[in-house]
Amino acid sequence: MTASTVATATLDSVSYTQSPHRRKSSIAEASGGGQSDRAFPEDVMFSGLKGKALKLNSWPSKAEVMRCIPRRCFVKETSRSLGHAAVCVAMTLACGVAAYALLPVQLAATPLWILYGALTGTVATGCWVIAHECGHNAFSDNKVIQDLVGYVLHTALLVPYYSWQRSHAVHHSRTNHLTEGETHVPHVRSGPKALGEQSPHAVLEGAWNEGLLSIRTLFGESLYGAIRLVAHLFFGWPAYLLTGATGGPVRGVTNHFLPFLGNKGEYKLFPESWTARVYLSDLGIIVMLGALIFAADRVGVATVACVYGLPLAFTNVWLVLYTWLQHSDTDIPHFDGDDWDFMKGAFCTVDRPYGPVLDFLHHRIGSTHVAHHICSAIPHYHALEATNAIKASFPDHYLFDPTPIHKAMWRVGTKCVSVRPYGNEGMWVFRQ
């Protein structure tokens, strides 16, 4: 089954106190359920998972995992979903109206505007997650209501709804695939897919990564990490929409607004059947940009930039951070070719502790993401129950890293540089 076919099918349907360390001895405590004793090389650094994912040598089938999830977890309640959407929109608009009424658009108020942008962008991320749920057919059995809500919310955040729906389905269908994955595909520094043997698009990305590595060598890890985090978090999302940055090298340069760019074969991101929907997404973005231009003409460019632009920038930061940390860490493997399959990718997704406030605002998008990758049609309000069922039934496979988010972010930003082969199971791992 090709990546396009699988992606289309997807649409249808403890406290951490230690620093990460390298493990030099074999793992003697490994138990059954797909785990095995294995010696870890010195250049593999542990996250809070302590190498758990690298001990796996077998995975359950999707049918086995689906059977352990209570049937009620798959029930979509339209009124409940609409209620969550309304609360998110109301909170976001309330923040914007309050700032417009109370904060002066003056240079002296810059710290207050940045604080407002961070707060409101964090709240608005809840709207993003609701639209994400619509794109996964997890919002309602009524497709008209579902797509209308998703289209409006994503368009308001300058996200091309249907274009993203398609590319995100590809991401789900090829999670942690080394060449066919979509978003945050790691840099390969040596081996059969070395820099010079990749597509021109991958060569450009590789050159950027090699440049950053030169900074790391010359000026140290801290500057390297800071530059990488800023580049990823603040510029990664627009770069992905416009060029396919961090996407699978098999697709080349892609563009979420121009569906004809990129690979023309079986790995084409937007097949012909999606062209009309991509342009419908473009129409929404054009209308939204027109509304912003109209607003800027009435109240000023600076006011629109402060009230709307700053929160949008922070919403994009959350989007990139969540996705990055869900699928990357020093001991999370990627797979290639016949060594990859859907359940390997799903179970190499990581849940993390975002705390009750962010879990409420963002509908547990970061703390129940394993269940979401196993079945993306589960509504967010059932995701915790599904997660607990998966954890209880497959404790050796379920991944939860208790590392505090800021520490995990720094570790991933500084240590997850490039992957190389690991063992005989087709794993590719970040090596130090």
Side-chain angles (χ1 to χ4, degrees):
M1 185 177 289
T2 67
S4 299
T5 304
V6 175
T8 303
T10 302
L11 292 178
D12 297 328
S13 53
V14 164
S15 175
Y16 181 71
T17 57
Q18 296 178 310
S19 299
H21 58 282
R22 297 186 179 103
R23 185 64 164 266
K24 299 182 181 180
S25 60
S26 65
I27 300 298
E29 67 270 25
S31 61
Q35 292 192 347
S36 64
D37 293 344
R38 181 173 296 151
F40 290 100
E42 292 186 19
D43 64 352
V44 173
M45 174 176 281
F46 279 8
S47 70
L49 296 169
K50 301 179 181 179
K52 183 177 181 180
L54 301 181
K55 293 187 286 184
L56 295 172
N57 59 12
S58 65
W59 284 262
S61 68
K62 185 173 183 178
E64 289 176 309
V65 181
M66 295 288 278
R67 282 196 294 268
C68 84
I69 302 174
R71 294 296 94 190
R72 59 181 171 272
C73 292
F74 302 97
V75 176
K76 290 166 274 190
E77 305 170 46
T78 301
S79 59
R80 188 173 182 181
S81 296
L82 286 170
H84 283 285
V87 169
C88 289
V89 171
M91 289 192 300
T92 302
L93 291 178
C95 291
V97 170
Y100 179 74
L102 300 175
L103 295 182
V105 183
Q106 299 173 358
L107 190 61
T110 297
L112 292 175
W113 279 112
I114 293 176
L115 180 61
Y116 155 79
L119 173 63
T120 306
T122 300
V123 173
T125 303
C127 297
W128 211 110
V129 175
I130 292 293
H132 159 267
E133 191 150 282
C134 293
H136 276 298
N137 192 29
F139 186 86
S140 172
D141 288 322
N142 186 314
K143 300 300 188 293
V144 174
I145 293 176
Q146 179 170 262
D147 282 339
L148 179 62
V149 172
Y151 186 87
V152 170
L153 290 180
H154 260 170
T155 299
L157 295 169
L158 294 182
V159 180
Y161 174 68
Y162 290 110
S163 308
W164 167 86
Q165 185 185 51
R166 162 66 188 176
S167 64
H168 194 64
V170 175
H171 161 68
H172 271 255
S173 74
R174 287 294 186 271
T175 303
N176 280 37
H177 194 295
L178 192 60
T179 58
E180 299 175 27
E182 187 66 12
T183 73
H184 298 292
V185 176
H187 175 44
V188 178
R189 205 171 184 205
S190 63
K193 285 170 288 300
L195 181 61
E197 301 175 40
Q198 295 178 345
S199 68
H201 179 247
V203 170
L204 290 175
E205 283 199 30
W208 162 254
N209 283 311
E210 292 293 336
L212 284 180
L213 288 173
S214 298
I215 293 175
R216 187 186 193 194
T217 301
L218 292 172
F219 300 105
E221 188 175 81
S222 295
L223 180 60
Y224 163 83
I227 293 174
R228 192 164 184 238
L229 285 172
V230 170
H232 268 66
L233 297 181
F234 286 96
F235 303 103
W237 176 241
Y240 171 66
L241 290 181
L242 294 172
T243 71
T246 78
V250 296
R251 295 182 193 93
V253 175
T254 60
N255 185 294
H256 281 66
F257 307 96
L258 303 174
F260 49 82
L261 292 180
N263 188 296
K264 307 300 182 184
E266 64 173 318
Y267 300 110
K268 183 175 173 61
L269 187 59
F270 299 109
E272 296 301 324
S273 60
W274 279 85
T275 300
R277 277 174 280 188
V278 172
Y279 289 137
L280 180 59
S281 302
D282 292 352
L283 178 61
I285 299 301
I286 292 171
V287 171
M288 184 62 196
L289 289 174
L292 291 173
I293 293 172
F294 177 80
D297 182 62
R298 292 301 183 92
V299 302
V301 174
T303 299
V304 172
C306 289
V307 175
Y308 176 84
L310 282 174
L312 182 65
F314 281 96
T315 294
N316 293 342
V317 165
W318 277 114
L319 165 64
V320 174
L321 180 63
Y322 273 122
T323 311
W324 202 6
L325 295 188
Q326 284 157 355
H327 305 292
S328 304
D329 216 321
T330 52
D331 51 0
I332 293 296
H334 286 70
F335 304 88
D336 189 28
D338 293 337
D339 294 310
W340 177 95
D341 68 37
F342 179 84
M343 292 309 295
K344 284 184 180 181
F347 271 119
C348 284
T349 299
V350 186
D351 285 345
R352 298 185 184 273
Y354 286 90
V357 174
L358 290 177
D359 275 348
F360 167 74
L361 291 174
H362 301 164
H363 316 292
R364 297 184 182 274
I365 189 66
S367 57
T368 61
H369 209 68
V370 175
H372 175 68
H373 265 266
I374 290 170
C375 181
S376 58
I378 296 175
H380 72 268
Y381 39 80
H382 295 316
L384 181 59
E385 183 178 6
T387 295
N388 289 336
I390 293 168
K391 181 179 180 180
S393 298
F394 303 96
D396 290 325
H397 295 82
Y398 172 75
L399 300 182
F400 176 84
D401 185 347
T403 306
I405 298 304
H406 66 287
K407 293 184 178 180
M409 178 179 69
W410 184 251
R411 182 176 63 231
V412 171
T414 56
K415 303 297 184 182
C416 293
V417 178
S418 60
V419 293
R420 282 183 279 171
Y422 172 84
N424 299 317
E425 291 79 19
M427 294 180 175
W428 292 69
V429 179
F430 292 103
R431 310 293 283 270
Q432 303 307 311

